Every structure is written in C-alpha cells, then in structure tokens.
Amino acid sequence: MTTFTVSTVAQWYSIPNSINRIIVSSNSLNGESFTTMDFSTFTSLKMIEIGDECGMHVTSVKITGLSSLKSVRIGKNSFTTEKGDHSSERNAIGVFQLKDCPKVRELKIGSGSFSDYSV
C-alpha cells in the first residue's frame, strides 16, 4: 500500500492521485487560508488517517465517490476552532460529507472534532 504523509499545505497539494493511504500528521493544516479538504480525487484511496488538532480553519471535508475506501480515522479536536467548546449557540458553518463509498467499514472520529460543523 502506498502511503503519503502530510504535514504542510504544500504537501497536501502534491499528493499523487494514485495514492492508497493518506496520513495527516497531528497539528497540521491549520493555516487560515486552508479551508477545504476534498479527498474525492484520490480514486485509489483505501485509508484516511487524520491526527489530532488538524484543519482548524477547514470548513468543508469531502470524501465522496471512493469505491476502494475502507477506513477513515480522525483524531481529537480536528476541524474545529474552539477546542472543547461544544456550545450550540456558536455559528456552526462546517460541512462533512462521507458518501458513495460502499466499502467503508470504519469511521472513527475523536472527541471535539467537527464541533463547528452543522452537517
């Protein structure tokens, strides 16, 4: 299985489309200008692993149409700007999509992740 480990935005944009496994290191991809993670172009992807406290300013995570994908693991406090704050009064604007991936058998999401998301 070919694996690509990401810890910078430049690395994210250099991931080959034919990769089987993407690992995002903890405390990565937190720049204010990085707001979208679309995995849908990686058609051979089988595993996605995202560490803790990643994607602080990401408001759209799209994992769609991946016929080989089997596992998605997301660490704690990822895809949120307010760690530990789960207030329903905040303006929740994020969108997480996982669909049309028929082989997915595992979806693990750590505590505090996606707390800014409404979908």
Side-chain angles (χ1 to χ4, degrees), residues 63-80:
I63 306 170
T64 60
L66 299 176
S67 60
S68 298
L69 186 66
K70 296 178 181 177
S71 174
V72 178
R73 297 177 186 165
I74 299 168
K76 63 183 179 181
N77 294 319
S78 288
F79 308 108
T80 184

Side-chain angles (χ1 to χ4, degrees), residues 35-38 57-62 79 94-97 117:
T35 59
T36 301
M37 289 182 82
D38 187 352
H57 298 283
V58 173
T59 56
S60 175
V61 178
K62 184 178 179 183
F79 308 108
V95 175
F96 171 72
Q97 294 179 343
Y117 280 50

Side-chain angles (χ1 to χ4, degrees), residues 1-4 15-23 42-49 68-71:
M1 184 178 307
T2 53
T3 300
F4 196 95
I15 300 172
N17 286 349
S18 61
I19 203 73
N20 297 121
R21 180 179 179 201
I22 295 175
I23 298 173
F42 307 112
T43 55
S44 299
L45 205 54
K46 294 180 180 178
M47 295 182 73
I48 298 170
E49 295 181 31
S68 298
L69 186 66
K70 296 178 181 177
S71 174

Side-chain angles (χ1 to χ4, degrees), residues 26-28 30 51-56 75-79 83:
S26 290
N27 300 300
S28 296
N30 288 322
D52 299 336
E53 300 187 8
C54 294
M56 180 186 300
K76 63 183 179 181
N77 294 319
S78 288
F79 308 108
K83 294 178 187 85

Side-chain angles (χ1 to χ4, degrees), residues 6-20:
V6 177
S7 57
T8 68
V9 173
Q11 288 172 334
W12 171 262
Y13 290 116
S14 68
I15 300 172
N17 286 349
S18 61
I19 203 73
N20 297 121

